[in-house]
Amino acid sequence: MKKVIHNLIDNAIKFTAQGQVRIRAWNQQTGEDTCDLHLSVQDTGFGISPELQVKIFEPFTQVDSSTTRRHGGNGLGLAICRQLVELMNGRITLKKPARKRLDVLRRVAVHPVATGT
């Protein structure tokens, strides 16, 4: 999960020349011994066209062809994030409108911690 968080934050900072990057994390109890962990990364960068929003998690997808020249990379970061999140039984989504907001959801087991007296 650390790699996913790092990549999402790095992308948000990289593609936001002005404005802000907002990171939120919270948990939501879903059962007696489970909870959902949520992470949201939102930026005020130039956004993603509707055509690319449906392909943003596919390998080798860039927002535009000049992205590689300006920022480096090969368009694998979000595809790898998606694979990692899905391997952890979670999901990653791009929220609309075109301003970038990536949300990660992962359900985890919660184990009570014994406290000594």
Side-chain angles (χ1 to χ4, degrees):
M1 194 65 166
K2 181 179 175 181
K3 178 66 175 168
V4 171
I5 294 168
H6 180 269
N7 190 61
L8 295 179
I9 293 170
D10 186 52
N11 275 356
I13 292 170
K14 186 186 323 183
F15 297 110
T16 304
Q18 293 182 6
Q20 64 182 346
V21 174
R22 180 176 297 173
I23 303 157
R24 292 182 59 220
W26 68 99
N27 70 320
Q28 180 180 14
Q29 197 74 31
T30 55
E32 188 175 313
D33 59 352
T34 60
C35 72
D36 288 347
L37 297 178
H38 298 265
L39 172 72
S40 176
V41 178
Q42 184 174 11
D43 66 61
T44 57
F46 50 82
I48 301 169
S49 70
E51 299 82 34
L52 284 176
Q53 288 180 16
V54 297
K55 300 190 296 184
I56 196 68
F57 295 108
E58 293 178 13
F60 307 110
T61 298
Q62 296 278 352
V63 172
D64 67 50
S65 59
S66 64
T67 301
T68 303
R69 289 190 301 277
R70 282 193 314 253
H71 300 290
N74 52 19
L76 287 174
L78 291 178
I80 291 170
C81 285
R82 181 183 204 173
Q83 289 178 345
L84 290 172
V85 169
E86 288 176 353
L87 284 171
M88 294 182 284
N89 295 319
R91 70 175 186 259
I92 184 169
T93 56
L94 174 67
K95 299 288 186 179
K96 298 175 182 174
R99 287 285 184 240
K100 291 188 291 180
R101 177 177 159 196
L102 294 167
D103 290 343
V104 178
L105 167 68
R106 179 175 175 218
R107 180 155 292 167
V108 295
V110 178
H111 303 288
V113 177
T115 58
T117 55

